[in-house]
Amino acid sequence: FFGHQWTVLISPNGNDKSTEGYVSFYLVNKSPESIQAEFQIILRSTARGSFQPTTVGEVDTKWPFGMCTFGAQGGMLCSGAFAKRGTILTFLNNGTLTLEIHLRTYKKAEPTIFVPSNPFCDNVLKVFNNEEKSDVVFIVGGEVESAANRRKRAKTTPTTFHAGHLILKLNAPSLADMCKPGDEAAVPINGVEPEVFKMLLYFCYGGKVSEDELEANAKAIIEAADRFGIVNLKLQAEAVLTKQTEVTVDNMLDNLLYATSKNLALFLEKIMDFVAENGSMLLGKVSFGDVPSNLISDILTAVAQGKKSAGGVAGDDLQIMRVGEMRKRLHDKGLCIDGDRETMIALLRENSESSPSASRVKLEP
């Protein structure tokens, strides 16, 4: 009613002012704004019709109530001694009591005000892959590396894409470095499926890559986004890959080497958690001879994290902080969030407000 949420409470024993043996009803305003309104409560029954008291208990009270103020967030008004309990019971329909609530307000309804949002993102998307509004051209396809064997290359149909160099410079700097605005010759892009390149370009124009597309093309998107400097899309695909991958003894090493090669700190963290939890299963089954030595610290970090309580990291220890928290802190500071654990820790320490260089105070004699 009137844009507010309402609740009705029933007090079988009435309230402190009710005549004994009577039932009280409370009408409660659950909305964050107060409102002035008249209200009326009527009992309904298919067998007995309706019941609307003209006298409440032994006090002559006319219904509906006059204009009342319902306070915000739980402001309520009581009907007082609405009716005797015996009368209420006769209006039950298979154990259900039906109430009809009437509300009336004289407050003039506020006109609906529509204010459109900033059209920038929508306008940019309108010129996505628009030849007339673009100044660089890409030819994507012709050959794509096979995922199963990188020495094999599959032939694909070349696809032409148009883009604005300024947009690429802001959102895909490595891709922008491959071309110059106004170049007549198209820039060839090999090693990427045209459909994947389209997702990357669409993302650069402010579009959203769907969850289904990320799940179906997670590794392809990660590799292309990493290649062209589209960090946020790379991390979105990494999050999906991390969620959908079940790490096992058989695939642990391959996943670990892949995560390391692409600087997938979140995915690597999941793998290290598996190593820390299943160390005894891995002994004698997995050879760590090809694993970079710097990953030992990641394994020790995972072990330390596992010993912490579910409440999280005590204090502000960056060495055992989870990747998600580190990335959030870097993002809040406007710093790069694409890197391994050591790189992110070094950046946070270098730019910490509590670091010696940031907190050094010159003392005057």
Side-chain angles (χ1 to χ4, degrees), residues 296-336:
I296 299 300
S297 63
D298 289 288
I299 296 176
L300 295 175
T301 297
V303 173
Q305 288 170 341
K307 293 181 179 179
K308 288 295 180 179
S309 64
V313 178
D316 189 27
D317 192 345
L318 292 176
Q319 285 298 140
I320 55 177
M321 185 176 291
R322 305 297 292 189
V323 168
E325 177 62 23
M326 281 196 288
R327 284 178 173 173
K328 183 179 184 304
R329 294 193 183 192
L330 288 168
H331 177 76
D332 291 344
K333 293 176 179 289
L335 302 172
C336 178

Side-chain angles (χ1 to χ4, degrees), residues 39-240:
F39 77 99
Q40 183 179 19
I41 301 176
I42 300 174
L43 292 178
R44 289 291 184 190
S45 170
T46 54
R48 297 203 57 193
S50 63
F51 175 80
Q52 175 186 346
T54 56
T55 59
V56 179
E58 297 177 354
V59 182
D60 186 13
T61 303
K62 294 182 179 180
W63 288 63
F65 287 105
M67 189 65 67
C68 307
T69 299
F70 292 85
Q73 296 286 17
M76 65 177 70
L77 290 174
C78 178
S79 66
F82 182 86
K84 291 183 178 180
R85 284 194 293 273
T87 302
I88 297 290
L89 292 175
T90 63
F91 277 82
L92 291 175
N93 297 316
N94 296 321
T96 301
L97 184 64
T98 302
L99 299 178
E100 188 175 285
I101 311 296
H102 291 249
L103 279 167
R104 180 171 63 186
T105 182
Y106 296 119
K107 182 180 178 181
K108 184 178 179 181
E110 294 291 338
T112 301
I113 300 176
F114 171 74
V115 179
S117 60
N118 190 321
F120 178 79
C121 291
D122 290 336
N123 290 337
V124 172
L125 274 176
K126 288 178 183 178
V127 297
F128 166 68
N129 205 20
N130 185 306
E131 183 176 358
E132 294 182 358
K133 304 295 182 180
S134 302
D135 52 9
V136 293
V137 184
F138 299 97
I139 295 291
V140 182
E143 59 179 23
V144 176
E145 291 180 346
S146 170
N149 186 341
R150 293 184 177 277
R151 294 182 181 179
K152 296 181 180 180
R153 293 180 178 268
K155 294 292 183 180
T156 61
T157 303
T159 305
T160 301
F161 291 95
H162 302 272
H165 190 268
L166 177 59
I167 291 176
L168 297 181
K169 188 174 182 180
L170 294 173
N171 300 299
S174 297
L175 184 61
D177 289 343
M178 298 172 62
C179 55
K180 293 182 180 179
D183 280 349
E184 295 184 2
V187 178
I189 302 292
N190 293 318
V192 182
E193 288 278 2
E195 191 60 31
V196 171
F197 189 84
K198 181 180 179 181
M199 294 178 201
L200 269 64
L201 206 57
Y202 186 70
F203 186 85
C204 291
Y205 272 72
K208 181 179 179 181
V209 179
S210 71
E211 192 80 7
D212 290 342
E213 290 173 321
L214 288 169
E215 289 178 356
N217 304 278
K219 284 193 173 182
I221 291 175
I222 287 172
E223 295 193 20
D226 186 58
R227 174 180 169 185
F228 299 129
I230 311 174
V231 174
N232 287 15
L233 181 58
K234 172 189 171 182
L235 299 188
Q236 285 185 21
E238 181 201 12
V240 170

